[in-house]
Every structure is written in C-alpha cells, then in structure tokens.
C-alpha cells in the first residue's frame, strides 16, 4: 500500500541543495520516516542518485544505539562520504542524539552534503534551533493523513470511509490493521507506551495520573473554550483533585510540545486583538484522542469540528477561535452586551475566512442560529458554514456559503467558491 504524501514530498524536493538543514517534524507515527526513507529516497533513486550516496540512519532503532553518541554519528557519516558527488544525509528521530545541533552544523559548510532530519517534539520549531543552525534551517511540519490522503488508499464511498476516519484517525499504520479491535489496541498502546512515556521521560514526571486525567478532560471537551484556571476548578469539583493552574498550563504545553494537541487562541474580530482568557485545544489525530477516552466518546459533531481545524492547519492556514461582540438595545432602552462565537478565523497572508462547523441545520431556525455570528461581522471576508450533510454548495442572499463536509475535505478549491 503506497500512501501519497504529495504536498510534503514536493516541499522536500523543492528544498534540495538549498544549503539549509531540512527539519521534518510531527507527531510520532504520523509518517515522517515513511516520507523520508521511502517517498523521498525513491525520488532520489529515480532521479539518478546512487544508493551509496544516500546515508540513512534510523536513530529510534535499537541497533543504532551507538550512533546516538554525537561523535560516533559524526564519524559514521564522515565514513560514508566517499567522493565529491552530492551525498544525501537522512536522519530519523535525531532528538535521540545529545548535541545534535553540533553534529548537523558540522555539515553546513560541506558542499556535497544535503541534510534531512526528522524529530518528534517542538524543539525543532523553536527560534533557538534556528539560531543554532545560524539561520539555515528549513522547517517542514507534517500531520497524520488528511481525509483526502486517507481516501487515496480506500475505495469505499467517502461517507462510508468517514466513520473509520473520525474514529481511528489518520496515523498511517491503522490502515493496514485488519479489524476494529486491532486498530483500537494499536492506538491505545501508542498513547500509553509511546506518547505518555515520551512526555514523562522528557520532562522527568514520576507519576502520570494527573497527566492522564488532564488529557482525558480536554479530550472529552474538544470545541469548548477553556483556560488553566477553569480546568483547575473542574479538577476540584469533578475529579476531587487539587492541581494548580500553573501545573495545568505546564502540562498543556507538554502536550503541544509532543504534537498531541494544538492551541487555538480566542480573537476579538471587531476589536482586532487576541483575548488570552479562553482558548480551545484540538487533537492532532482523532484516533489518538478517542484512544485516550477508551473509544467511549466518539460524538461526531465535536469530532467534526476538530477534523475541520486539522484540515485547515494541513492546508497551511493559521486558525484562531473568533468572538464577535455586539451591543444591541434591550427592552428597557439600555444597551446590552452580547457575544457570538465564530468557530474559526482562518488566515494565510492576505486571505481570511470565517468558518462555522454546524453538524446539522435541519430547520430555518437552526440556520439562523449558526449564521448569527457571521452576520454580525462587518467586513467583506468570505463567511462559510460547513455541514455534515452531503449537499451541493450554496450561497444565501447575505453572501454566506454553505458547504458539505465531504466536499470541503476532498475539494480544497471550494473554500473560494
């Protein structure tokens, strides 16, 4: 089964020989190694590069443990550069190497070395890393499979495949597993034995009980605005556990650091400013999110919102949670303050879209309810409602476009319809 990751492969191909270190980041098991060691290596070979000029090391493989020593790795790579022709250095999970920055910097001035590395934590996206690489690092962040990538190897009708996608997510290995039980077991083991273990080891956490509780809490409330203080109160009232908002904030940063979650900050659309009081936390992969909850809460409406968020991020947009404040006159003649939520404020360059995720709009009243926040935005950027129904795109007299979910996921151009 060959899964196409054309977007990311094109980015790698375009970055060849640019004098930069290519840094591929993303959630563990999302396909970074496959992209580098299979798709990109195949491209090199078919482009005429001899296999002896491709130096690849999987640093997660126990058999390569000695190469996790920076000096051993340096010596090994040096021994494989055999002539003046271009050599392609492919290193997987390089965060296992202490002082890896030093190793990679050693090849920045080697004219016949082109360097590609993968890593599974956000250190690779920090300004510190770019400083370490002296401004010569190119970041390529990959996600689990999009629905379109999922459908490229699934011949069912999209509506039939959708249930599997929102239940078991887009980690590539799940597609090769034979049944639901195998998929659930794989995702549960990945959550407990890889993701949680990574976080505990990286941050020297002895007990993971509170870590698990917090993950379960935000997993069960995707799409709900929250903050550390609010979560602290929830822990006290529901879990009967005292966990400070400072610790909660730290743990949330650990989840984001491991690419398990992403934080979407609240944005005041009319005031044109960020409001840090409340944010939403979305999961990078729905299968992992469902595994955290033991596959007991697979409510499609909230999951659909998370999938839309992920799709927009995969397309390269920044995504905020929108808020529109109005002050209508009440029955007593006094102005009252009303706030409307816009699910997503979507930006890329000069482009902006306001998007609502509306699972069902069976009545005119429900459509008016979903449209209310969009109608209170007084600029001319496109306003879109995405519904689960398999409908033809339509535009109403207020200019609001309604698109079916499957069309949105499989036809990126429809966002500009």
């Amino acid at each position: 089964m060959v899964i196409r990751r054309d977007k990311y492969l094109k980015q790698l191909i375009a970055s060849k020989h640019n004098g930069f270190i290519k840094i591929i980041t993303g959630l563990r098991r999302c396909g970074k190694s496959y992209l580098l060691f299979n798709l990109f290596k195949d491209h090199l070979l078919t482009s005429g590069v001899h296999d002896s000029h491709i130096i690849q090391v999987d640093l997660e493989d126990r058999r390569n443990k000695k190469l996790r020593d920076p000096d051993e790795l340096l010596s090994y790579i040096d021994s494989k550069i055999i002539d003046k022709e271009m050599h392609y250095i492919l290193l997987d999970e390089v965060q296992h190497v202490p002082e890896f920055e030093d190793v990679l910097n050693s090849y920045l001035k080697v004219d016949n070395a082109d360097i590609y590395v993968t890593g599974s934590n956000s250190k690779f996206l920090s300004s510190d890393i770019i400083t370490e690489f002296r401004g010569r690092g190119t970041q390529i962040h990959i996600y689990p499979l999009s629905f379109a990538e999922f459908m490229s190897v699934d011949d069912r009708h999209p509506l039939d495949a959708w249930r599997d996608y929102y239940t078991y997510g887009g980690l590539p290995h799940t597609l090769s597993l034979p049944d639901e039980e195998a998929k659930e077991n794989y995702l549960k083991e990945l959550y407990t034995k890889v993701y949680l273990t990574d976080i505990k080891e990286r941050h020297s956490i002895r007990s993971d009980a509170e870590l698990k509780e917090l993950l379960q809490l935000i997993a069960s409330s995707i799409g709900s605005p929250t903050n550390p203080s609010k979560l602290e109160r929830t822990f006290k009232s529901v879990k009967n556990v005292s966990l400070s908002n400072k610790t909660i904030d730290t743990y949330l940063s650990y989840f984001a650091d491991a690419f398990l979650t992403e934080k979407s900050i609240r944005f005041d659309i009319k005031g044109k400013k960020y409001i840090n009081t409340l944010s939403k936390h979305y999961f990078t992969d729905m299968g992992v999110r469902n595994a955290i909850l033991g596959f007991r809460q697979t409510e499609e409406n909230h999951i659909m919102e998370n999938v839309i968020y992920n799709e927009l991020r995969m397309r390269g947009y920044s995504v905020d949670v929108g808020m529109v404040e109005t002050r209508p006159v009440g029955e007593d003649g006094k102005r009252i303050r009303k706030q409307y939520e816009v699910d997503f404020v979507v930006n890329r360059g000069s482009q902006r879209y306001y998007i609502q995720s509306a699972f069902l709009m069976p009545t005119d009243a429900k459509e008016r309810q979903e449209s209310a926040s969009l109608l209170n935005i007084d600029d001319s950027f496109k306003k879109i409602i995405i519904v689960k129904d398999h409908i033809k795109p339509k535009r109403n007299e207020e200019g609001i476009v309604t698109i079916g979910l499957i069309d949105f996921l499989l036809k990126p151009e429809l966002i500009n319809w």
Side-chain angles (χ1 to χ4, degrees), residues 323-341:
M323 186 274 290
V324 184
E325 183 172 298
T326 63
R327 292 186 176 273
V329 177
E331 293 180 0
D332 59 359
K334 296 181 179 179
R335 291 198 174 274
I336 56 176
R337 182 184 179 192
K338 292 191 71 174
Q339 291 186 343
Y340 295 91
E341 183 177 297

Side-chain angles (χ1 to χ4, degrees), residues 27 120-123 194-208 210-212 214-215 218 243 246-263 281 283-284:
L27 181 71
S120 298
N121 65 66
S122 67
K123 184 178 182 185
V194 177
Y195 301 140
L196 272 180
T197 300
D198 271 358
I199 292 171
K200 285 172 62 180
E201 289 180 353
R202 189 177 303 144
H203 302 289
S204 302
I205 298 172
R206 293 183 180 180
S207 171
D208 61 11
E210 292 170 342
L211 210 62
K212 284 181 177 179
L214 181 58
L215 263 175
I218 61 172
L243 194 62
K246 184 177 179 180
T247 300
I248 289 171
D249 192 44
T250 299
Y251 283 179
L252 290 173
S253 74
Y254 292 167
F255 304 153
D257 179 69
F259 300 123
L260 276 175
T261 65
E262 287 191 7
K263 178 181 176 181
H281 298 269
F283 280 79
T284 304

Side-chain angles (χ1 to χ4, degrees), residues 9-244:
L9 181 58
K10 286 176 182 176
Q11 289 180 49
L12 282 177
I13 293 170
S15 67
K16 280 179 9 179
H17 312 149
N18 66 359
F20 285 66
I21 297 166
K22 275 65 73 170
I23 309 162
I24 307 165
T25 61
L27 181 71
R28 276 189 186 270
R29 306 295 187 268
C30 73
K32 300 185 301 298
S33 306
Y34 180 79
L35 172 67
L36 190 59
F37 287 170
N38 293 76
L39 300 180
F40 185 63
K41 184 179 178 181
D42 285 349
H43 159 76
L44 293 176
L45 293 172
T46 56
S47 300
V49 177
H50 194 276
D51 188 58
S52 63
H53 286 65
I54 302 173
I55 306 165
Q56 68 177 64
V57 181
D58 178 1
L59 291 158
E60 200 169 36
D61 190 328
R62 180 76 177 180
R63 287 179 287 267
N64 292 325
K65 183 180 178 182
K66 69 176 184 179
L67 296 181
R68 295 174 190 169
D69 178 277
D71 295 316
E72 289 281 350
L73 181 60
L74 197 65
S75 296
Y76 176 79
I77 295 171
D78 284 346
S79 72
K80 294 292 183 178
I81 298 178
I82 55 178
D83 56 34
K84 298 294 184 182
E85 297 297 315
M86 183 63 71
H87 289 68
Y88 298 86
I89 303 169
L90 316 182
L91 305 178
D92 193 32
E93 301 295 359
V94 76
Q95 78 276 357
H96 288 298
V97 181
E99 303 176 60
F100 68 85
E101 300 95 336
D102 243 8
V103 176
L104 301 180
N105 275 330
S106 299
Y107 293 98
L108 282 174
K109 292 183 180 179
V110 178
D111 292 337
N112 63 332
D114 201 18
I115 312 163
Y116 302 79
V117 302
T118 78
S120 298
N121 65 66
S122 67
K123 184 178 182 185
F124 292 86
L125 296 179
S126 73
S127 58
D128 291 342
I129 283 294
I130 300 305
T131 301
E132 287 284 351
F133 291 152
R134 301 167 196 154
R136 294 175 67 185
T138 297
Q139 304 162 3
I140 299 170
H141 184 69
I142 83 170
Y143 287 85
L145 301 178
S146 68
F147 188 63
E149 290 170 327
F150 185 92
M151 288 305 304
S152 72
V153 290
D154 192 318
D155 57 5
R156 291 176 294 173
H157 189 280
L159 287 174
D160 296 324
W162 162 248
R163 180 179 177 275
D164 273 2
Y165 184 72
Y166 80 72
T167 303
Y168 304 113
L171 295 180
H173 184 64
T174 59
L175 276 67
S176 64
L177 297 174
D179 53 41
E180 294 183 356
E181 183 180 2
K183 293 176 194 290
E184 288 189 11
N185 289 338
Y186 168 70
L187 290 164
K188 287 177 181 177
E189 287 220 352
L190 203 57
Y191 157 55
T192 56
K193 295 184 179 179
V194 177
Y195 301 140
L196 272 180
T197 300
D198 271 358
I199 292 171
K200 285 172 62 180
E201 289 180 353
R202 189 177 303 144
H203 302 289
S204 302
I205 298 172
R206 293 183 180 180
S207 171
D208 61 11
E210 292 170 342
L211 210 62
K212 284 181 177 179
E213 290 277 9
L214 181 58
L215 263 175
Q216 289 169 359
L217 194 59
I218 61 172
S220 65
S221 58
I222 51 174
S224 299
T226 191
N227 60 26
S229 296
K230 190 175 179 180
L231 289 167
E232 179 185 17
R233 291 192 293 272
T234 302
F235 263 89
K236 286 180 180 177
S237 61
V238 178
K239 304 290 186 180
N240 198 26
V241 173
S242 293
L243 194 62
S244 73

Side-chain angles (χ1 to χ4, degrees), residues 297-413:
Q297 294 181 39
T298 53
E299 60 292 335
E300 197 175 352
N301 56 336
H302 296 308
I303 289 175
M304 173 179 150
E305 180 179 331
N306 201 142
V307 169
I308 292 170
Y309 173 88
N310 289 345
E311 179 66 27
L312 291 165
R313 296 288 291 128
M314 290 177 203
R315 295 181 189 179
Y317 295 102
S318 62
V319 183
D320 300 314
V321 178
M323 186 274 290
V324 184
E325 183 172 298
T326 63
R327 292 186 176 273
V329 177
E331 293 180 0
D332 59 359
K334 296 181 179 179
R335 291 198 174 274
I336 56 176
R337 182 184 179 192
K338 292 191 71 174
Q339 291 186 343
Y340 295 91
E341 183 177 297
V342 178
D343 288 331
F344 305 121
V345 181
V346 182
N347 293 285
R348 185 173 62 194
S350 61
Q351 295 176 304
R352 172 173 287 187
Y353 307 90
Y354 301 111
I355 297 179
Q356 288 289 87
S357 171
F359 185 63
L360 295 173
M361 291 198 303
T363 64
D364 290 343
K366 179 63 175 175
E367 185 169 353
R368 286 194 299 273
Q369 178 187 334
E370 294 292 347
S371 302
S373 59
L374 301 177
L375 292 173
N376 278 289
I377 301 172
D378 53 11
D379 62 39
S380 58
F381 291 113
K382 181 160 288 185
K383 301 167 181 67
I384 300 169
I385 298 175
I386 300 173
V387 296
K388 167 67 190 310
D389 292 339
H390 196 48
I391 63 168
K392 289 184 177 181
K394 62 180 183 179
R395 181 181 285 104
N396 67 15
E397 59 188 15
E398 285 95 4
I400 296 174
V401 173
T402 303
I403 302 173
L405 174 65
I406 300 301
D407 278 345
F408 167 76
L409 294 174
L410 296 182
K411 301 174 183 177
E413 70 279 3

